[in-house]
Amino acid sequence: MSAKSAIGKEVFTPRDEKMLAAVQVRRRNKKKIPFLATGGQGDYMTYICLSVTNKKPPQLSITKVKQFEGSSSFARRSQWSMDQLRKVNGIDPNRDCPEFDLEFDNASDQWVAGSAGEKCMFVQVLHHTCQRHSGERKPEFVNCQSKLLGACSVNSVMLRCKMFLHGMRNTKVSSQKRPPRKGNSILHSAADSVTSAVQKASQALNERSDRLNRAEEKTGELMNSAQQFADTAHKLAMKHK
């Protein structure tokens, strides 16, 4: 199970919430530690998560989740409602970059995501979800690439997944003459599963407007599945290189 899947299951499911997206981050500028501060818990990984309640009307939240070194569990830290989010700053509207800022009523954080792609996927889902569920007071998105804010932003995520799977299938065809390996069969099975998920999610997004909420949930699951698949594919490729 990937870290993001574990966060959804451990942190949000018990609270009757569904995690729509998550991005692993680190601060661009480290916070100053007071001179007399002691008793720190050591190194940790930080995730910024977007979640929605299962009850209606749905309530959106952004939550900071940490995993401390040597621990397999996740700790919920700061949490803000979507009404408290004032601005999302994509830093550079002309290129893919991993940096972004989140400004709330009472806080402001400057982050660097694990990759530009991971940041872009998170901002896409955040913007799409805000347009669907936020009230009149929607957050401002500045310095973001137009592809992240367009109406077809979710579909572009689907397209990236399909392109990745198409490349994996081409690799499968070129390797048919070689003796089959257990790792390859697992990889191909995962590719078929994710392909099926992509097709179902794409179909859901084209249905009537009264079903868009369920489609958004499927999209969140798809992106987590795609991330898991990419991690698995990379590990298998390195193992059988």
Side-chain angles (χ1 to χ4, degrees):
M1 180 183 296
S2 70
K4 294 177 184 177
S5 296
I7 291 172
K9 184 177 181 180
E10 181 179 332
V11 177
F12 295 100
T13 299
R15 299 171 67 94
D16 198 25
E17 295 179 73
K18 184 173 185 61
M19 189 177 77
L20 301 178
V23 55
Q24 183 178 344
V25 296
R26 60 177 174 82
R27 292 187 183 277
R28 292 209 304 278
N29 300 309
K30 293 185 177 181
K31 282 188 174 181
K32 294 183 179 179
I33 302 176
F35 179 74
L36 297 177
T38 58
Q41 292 179 278
D43 292 335
Y44 55 83
M45 290 187 292
T46 302
Y47 298 85
I48 301 299
C49 307
L50 172 65
S51 65
V52 62
T53 59
N54 291 321
K55 296 179 181 180
K56 293 185 178 181
Q59 300 296 318
L60 298 169
S61 299
I62 293 180
T63 306
K64 188 186 301 180
V65 175
K66 293 185 177 181
Q67 182 182 34
F68 290 93
E69 186 177 20
S71 174
S72 60
S73 61
F74 299 89
R76 180 191 293 260
R77 287 301 190 244
S78 306
Q79 185 176 56
W80 299 270
S81 69
M82 193 57 65
D83 290 337
Q84 293 176 295
L85 179 62
R86 289 289 162 264
K87 183 183 295 185
V88 178
N89 189 340
I91 305 301
D92 193 333
N94 300 314
R95 66 180 181 88
D96 291 337
C97 68
E99 295 87 1
F100 68 101
D101 296 347
L102 297 178
E103 296 184 18
F104 300 93
D105 284 337
N106 58 353
S108 178
D109 286 319
Q110 298 177 327
W111 300 112
V112 179
S115 67
E118 192 176 1
K119 168 243 181 155
C120 289
M121 186 175 293
F122 179 79
V123 173
Q124 280 182 329
V125 177
L126 179 59
H127 179 264
H128 180 74
T129 305
C130 287
Q131 299 309 305
R132 289 292 305 164
H133 294 295
S134 293
E136 296 181 359
R137 195 179 182 183
K138 290 181 172 60
E140 181 183 9
F141 286 75
V142 300
N143 298 323
C144 294
Q145 293 171 289
S146 59
K147 67 180 181 181
L148 305 184
L149 309 182
C152 61
S153 61
V154 175
N155 287 333
S156 68
V157 175
M158 300 293 185
L159 180 60
R160 291 184 184 182
C161 293
K162 289 178 180 179
M163 292 174 63
F164 180 78
L165 292 171
H166 180 69
M168 293 304 301
R169 285 187 168 179
N170 287 341
T171 302
K172 176 181 177 181
V173 171
S174 64
S175 63
Q176 283 181 343
K177 295 182 180 180
R178 286 181 280 181
R181 296 179 180 178
K182 182 178 179 180
N184 285 338
S185 66
I186 295 175
L187 181 59
H188 298 156
S189 176
D192 292 338
S193 298
V194 177
T195 300
S196 177
V198 171
Q199 293 172 344
K200 290 179 180 179
S202 297
Q203 181 180 356
L205 287 171
N206 292 325
E207 292 179 354
R208 296 174 302 172
S209 59
D210 61 346
R211 301 185 64 184
L212 281 176
N213 289 339
R214 282 182 289 175
E216 288 169 4
E217 294 181 0
K218 289 182 179 292
T219 302
E221 293 174 356
L222 169 65
M223 286 183 287
N224 285 332
S225 296
Q227 183 65 46
Q228 294 177 44
F229 170 71
D231 293 342
T232 301
H234 178 71
K235 290 177 181 179
L236 289 173
M238 294 299 296
K239 181 179 180 180
H240 298 286
K241 186 175 179 181

